[in-house]
């Protein structure tokens, strides 16, 4: 049987009649037991449901470790899933249909299904969070709302209007339809925020709409009910309305911003829409400040890197660069550095495109190229505001680079980012922009290259000792064998959504130039020569730092190979 059942090793005191009554009332009114755990004498909802199931003589299934066959939904009324909060999960030995429920005090819907399906049914208790996850995985995010939309379409001729929110719609039709579409869009956004998604991709394809969430840096396709394709235009239009964009304009790219509140947290969403072959494609970057910890130690910086970088960011002048591809955490590192050094006697001004997070005590400027407020123009203006520290969101061209150099030469500490593959490549990139090599070599005080790797889930990672054939040639196998320690690999559990990973950590490559490196940079030496000298001086490359994190149990070999190339 594919269904795994809970077994408790520790002894739990059985619930008395009063506690059972309290539990029944909580499940009937709230659907959860979290508010009454103290009254039930347990620490977790899992323990509470286990005791209730035990008292009622009903088994409790562990959906995170169970395999639910696809055929269980054949002939099953999907509306019952949302109406009663139940879901078929398998078959008993005698052929009875096993139906998961979070409220074993309500057997009536399950009994009624036995009559309508003409087969015996058995209730199985499951955790509410696991049941919600199963429903979303099998029926898709927003499936309940889609059922409502389809029901409305059966009653009215409103679905056709939803296909395109034109300005000539009647106010009554627009209001009636928009309210339901709002709920569908909110389902998509809420699920993304609660799952720790960084980006939502809504893609228009020939076969219909596809929604993917980027979680811990990896895109994951979200199951969606196929009927959602009928409301693709309505979803796009709703998002445009939320971002204050022109819903009638479908020929040019549009950018906007949405502010929502999820679980009492204010969340900013940066939205970009681009016309594509089969419709408009949308990408939304979720900016959840409450989930961020803008300190260098809070973002997981290694102790040795922290000590060296901490000295750099307290210099009186010079340029400090953070390099890496898009989505490698450069902005987070810079924000964390600014938070470390901000004080009442230091004036910090930033120019960004866009401003991702609003920081207290720091003056931030939003670049607006449409009116001529570029990085270079804003940087020139910033210097007239008597700053001590300046952050330039990105050095993209000669003018911005030249102004950053001049700012550092006139006694300012300048932070910025570049798109290069490694730290040494920043010299080559700046010189390629047209900056004199001697200026680059004398003003750049430090370069941090970084990448993000997924952290192994602490709840399910398993130790193992790989064979030499299972590791890359540059992996420090000797260190592993000499220390007799084990490294870890991902497994997957309910805590990490079966991925084996939870959260991310950064790999760092910090280059602090010595006299030899400055001399090479001033002579326009290739980046590989500069990197060779930096390594000889003690610099760890991204790959070296990755192997340290593998040996410390933070991440896996596969993650380092995926994100950092061999030196």
């Amino acid at each position: 049987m594919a269904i795994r059942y809970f077994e408790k090793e520790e002894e739990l005191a059985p619930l008395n009649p009063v506690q059972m009554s309290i539990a029944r009332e909580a499940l009937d009114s709230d659907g959860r037991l979290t508010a009454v755990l103290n009254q039930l004498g347990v620490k977790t909802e899992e323990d509470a449901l286990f005791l209730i199931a035990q008292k009622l003589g009903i088994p409790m299934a562990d959906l995170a470790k169970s395999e639910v066959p696809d055929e269980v939904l054949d002939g099953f009324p999907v509306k019952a899933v949302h109406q009663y909060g139940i879901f078929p999960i398998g078959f008993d030995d005698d052929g009875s249909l096993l139906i998961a429920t979070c409220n074993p005090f309500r057997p009536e819907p399950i009994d009624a299904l036995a009559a309508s399906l003409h087969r015996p049914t058995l209730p199985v208790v499951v955790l509410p969070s696991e049941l919600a996850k199963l429903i979303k995985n099998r029926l898709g995010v927003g499936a309940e709302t889609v059922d409502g939309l389809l029901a409305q379409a059966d009653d009215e001729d409103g679905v056709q209007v939803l296909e395109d929110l034109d300005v000539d719609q009647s106010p009554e039709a627009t209001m009636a339809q928009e309210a339901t579409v709002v709920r569908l869009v909110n389902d998509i956004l809420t699920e993304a925020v609660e799952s720790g998604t960084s980006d939502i991709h809504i893609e228009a394809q020939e076969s219909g709409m596809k929604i993917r969430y980027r979680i811990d840096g990896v895109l994951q396709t979200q199951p969606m009910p196929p009927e959602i394709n009928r409301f693709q235009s309505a979803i796009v239009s709703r998002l445009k309305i939320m971002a204050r964009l022109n819903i009638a304009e479908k020929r040019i790219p549009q950018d906007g911003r949405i502010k929502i509140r999820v679980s009492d947290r204010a969340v900013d969403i940066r939205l970009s829409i681009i016309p594509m072959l089969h419709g408009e494609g949308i990408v939304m970057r979720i900016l959840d400040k409450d989930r961020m910890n803008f300190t260098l130690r809070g973002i997981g910086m290694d102790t040795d890197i922290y000590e060296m970088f901490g000295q750099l960011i307290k210099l009186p002048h010079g340029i400090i660069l953070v390099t890496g591809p898009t989505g490698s955490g450069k902005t987070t590192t810079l924000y964390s550095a600014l938070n470390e050094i901000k004080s009442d006697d230091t004036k910090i001004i930033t120019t960004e495109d866009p401003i991702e997070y609003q920081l207290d005590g720091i003056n931030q400027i939003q670049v607006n190229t449409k009116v001529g407020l570029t990085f270079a123009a804003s940087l020139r203006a910033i210097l007239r505001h008597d700053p001590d520290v300046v952050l330039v969101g990105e050095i993209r061209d000669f003018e911005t680079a030249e102004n950053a150099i001049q700012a550092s030469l006139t006694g300012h500490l300048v932070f910025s980012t570049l798109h290069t593959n490694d730290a040494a490549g920043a010299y080559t990139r700046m010189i390629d922009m047209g900056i004199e090599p001697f200026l680059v070599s004398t003003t750049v005080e430090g370069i941090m290259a970084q990448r993000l790797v997924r952290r192994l889930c602490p709840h399910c990672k398993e130790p193992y000792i790989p064979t030499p054939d299972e590791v890359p040639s540059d992996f420090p196998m000797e260190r592993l064998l000499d220390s007799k320690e084990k490294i870890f690999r991902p497994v997957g559990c309910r805590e990490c959504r079966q991925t084996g990973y939870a959260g991310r950590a950064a790999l760092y490559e910090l280059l602090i130039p010595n006299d030899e490196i400055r001399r090479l940079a001033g002579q326009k030496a290739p980046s590989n020569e500069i990197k060779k000298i930096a390594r000889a001086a003690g610099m760890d490359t991204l790959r070296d730092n990755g192997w340290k994190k593998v040996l410390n149990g933070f991440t896996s070999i596969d993650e380092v190979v995926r994100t950092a190339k061999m030196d």
Side-chain angles (χ1 to χ4, degrees), residues 261-321:
R261 184 169 291 277
V262 177
S263 302
D264 293 326
R265 299 202 316 268
V267 178
D268 275 2
I269 297 176
R270 206 171 71 216
L271 178 142
S272 174
I273 301 179
I274 299 179
M276 295 188 179
L277 180 62
H278 299 291
E280 292 174 284
I282 300 177
V283 173
M284 291 176 278
R285 168 66 58 88
I286 296 176
L287 305 171
D288 187 356
K289 187 177 180 181
D290 290 344
R291 293 183 66 245
M292 302 300 294
N293 184 359
F294 289 121
T295 63
L296 295 177
R297 298 315 298 265
I299 62 176
M301 188 171 283
D302 309 284
T303 302
D304 54 343
I305 298 287
Y306 172 75
E307 291 175 356
M308 291 187 288
F309 194 65
Q311 293 176 7
L312 280 179
I313 64 178
K314 293 171 184 172
L315 291 174
H317 55 79
I319 296 178
I320 297 172
L321 298 171

Side-chain angles (χ1 to χ4, degrees), residues 366-430:
Q366 170 67 58
V367 166
N368 187 347
T369 54
K370 292 179 181 178
V371 298
L373 186 61
T374 61
F375 279 123
S378 59
L379 183 51
R380 286 195 300 271
I382 284 172
L383 296 180
R384 294 193 288 271
H385 272 243
D386 188 30
D388 298 295
V389 178
V390 177
L391 184 150
V392 182
E394 183 183 346
I395 295 178
R396 298 175 179 172
D397 51 38
F398 168 76
E399 191 179 4
T400 307
E402 184 182 43
N403 287 339
I405 293 283
Q406 292 302 320
S408 69
L409 290 173
T410 53
H412 303 87
L413 183 61
V414 181
F415 292 90
S416 192
T417 70
L418 279 176
H419 289 287
T420 63
N421 290 327
D422 56 16
Y427 288 108
T428 307
R429 182 82 181 93
M430 294 274 284

Side-chain angles (χ1 to χ4, degrees), residues 154-464:
D154 292 338
D155 297 336
E156 309 172 358
D157 291 330
V159 173
Q160 286 74 18
V161 184
L162 279 174
E163 294 294 334
D164 197 355
L165 292 178
D166 290 331
V167 293
D168 61 348
Q169 290 178 322
S170 68
E172 296 79 14
T174 301
M175 289 179 62
Q177 294 156 356
E178 185 181 328
T180 320
V181 174
V182 165
R183 184 176 174 189
L184 178 56
V185 171
N186 287 350
D187 283 346
I188 295 170
L189 297 180
T190 302
E191 170 68 10
V193 172
E194 290 181 346
S195 63
T197 296
S198 61
D199 300 88
I200 306 172
H201 293 244
I202 300 180
E203 300 163 345
Q205 301 183 351
E206 186 177 10
S207 58
M209 187 171 69
K210 184 177 184 179
I211 298 181
R212 296 193 286 176
Y213 293 166
R214 190 178 292 281
I215 301 175
D216 292 337
V218 178
L219 280 173
Q220 299 179 16
T221 300
Q222 295 304 300
M224 292 285 164
E227 296 83 4
I228 202 171
N229 293 327
R230 296 170 60 180
F231 312 106
Q232 180 175 338
S233 295
I235 291 170
V236 173
S237 296
R238 173 60 191 167
L239 288 168
K240 285 182 178 180
I241 290 169
M242 293 174 73
R244 302 176 186 275
L245 301 178
N246 184 355
I247 66 171
E249 181 56 76
K250 301 180 180 180
R251 301 163 299 171
I252 60 174
Q254 297 188 73
D255 295 321
R257 211 172 183 111
I258 300 171
K259 289 189 176 182
I260 61 173
R261 184 169 291 277
V262 177
S263 302
D264 293 326
R265 299 202 316 268
V267 178
D268 275 2
I269 297 176
R270 206 171 71 216
L271 178 142
S272 174
I273 301 179
I274 299 179
M276 295 188 179
L277 180 62
H278 299 291
E280 292 174 284
I282 300 177
V283 173
M284 291 176 278
R285 168 66 58 88
I286 296 176
L287 305 171
D288 187 356
K289 187 177 180 181
D290 290 344
R291 293 183 66 245
M292 302 300 294
N293 184 359
F294 289 121
T295 63
L296 295 177
R297 298 315 298 265
I299 62 176
M301 188 171 283
D302 309 284
T303 302
D304 54 343
I305 298 287
Y306 172 75
E307 291 175 356
M308 291 187 288
F309 194 65
Q311 293 176 7
L312 280 179
I313 64 178
K314 293 171 184 172
L315 291 174
H317 55 79
I319 296 178
I320 297 172
L321 298 171
V322 179
T323 77
T326 301
S328 59
K330 300 188 297 295
T331 301
T332 302
T333 297
L334 289 175
Y335 280 174
S336 300
L338 294 183
N339 268 336
E340 293 267 337
I341 61 175
K342 73 176 182 182
S343 65
D344 289 340
D345 54 5
T346 301
K347 177 145 186 178
I348 302 174
I349 307 180
T350 76
T351 174
E352 305 170 59
D353 183 23
I355 295 173
E356 295 198 0
Y357 298 97
Q358 298 175 26
L359 303 177
D360 293 332
I362 295 173
N363 305 280
Q364 296 172 272
I365 299 171
Q366 170 67 58
V367 166
N368 187 347
T369 54
K370 292 179 181 178
V371 298
L373 186 61
T374 61
F375 279 123
S378 59
L379 183 51
R380 286 195 300 271
I382 284 172
L383 296 180
R384 294 193 288 271
H385 272 243
D386 188 30
D388 298 295
V389 178
V390 177
L391 184 150
V392 182
E394 183 183 346
I395 295 178
R396 298 175 179 172
D397 51 38
F398 168 76
E399 191 179 4
T400 307
E402 184 182 43
N403 287 339
I405 293 283
Q406 292 302 320
S408 69
L409 290 173
T410 53
H412 303 87
L413 183 61
V414 181
F415 292 90
S416 192
T417 70
L418 279 176
H419 289 287
T420 63
N421 290 327
D422 56 16
Y427 288 108
T428 307
R429 182 82 181 93
M430 294 274 284
I431 293 169
D432 285 346
M433 287 181 186
I435 302 300
E436 290 292 338
F438 77 91
L439 288 176
V440 177
S441 65
T442 55
T443 55
V444 174
E445 297 292 344
I447 306 165
M448 174 87 85
Q450 65 181 66
R451 298 290 188 279
L452 292 180
V453 293
R454 292 182 292 174
R455 286 177 181 266
L456 286 164
C457 173
H459 300 93
C460 66
K461 65 180 182 180
E462 73 173 9
Y464 79 112

Side-chain angles (χ1 to χ4, degrees), residues 1-72:
M1 183 181 295
I3 303 301
R4 298 282 296 274
Y5 294 98
F6 276 105
E7 293 180 0
K8 296 287 183 180
E9 294 181 0
E10 69 274 18
E11 287 290 330
L12 296 173
L15 300 180
N16 58 43
V18 174
Q19 290 173 318
M20 288 291 283
S21 178
I22 292 171
R24 178 197 290 267
E25 186 176 340
L27 287 174
D28 286 341
S29 60
D30 241 3
R32 301 297 296 262
L33 294 169
T34 48
V36 296
L37 293 180
N38 288 337
Q39 293 170 269
L40 300 182
V42 294
K43 295 181 179 179
T44 66
E45 191 171 33
E46 180 184 303
D47 288 343
L49 279 171
F50 181 81
L51 289 174
I52 293 168
Q54 194 176 53
K55 192 80 170 179
L56 298 175
I58 301 173
M60 182 174 176
D62 185 351
L63 288 182
K65 297 179 180 178
S66 300
E67 296 178 10
V68 178
D70 293 332
E71 59 269 20
V72 291

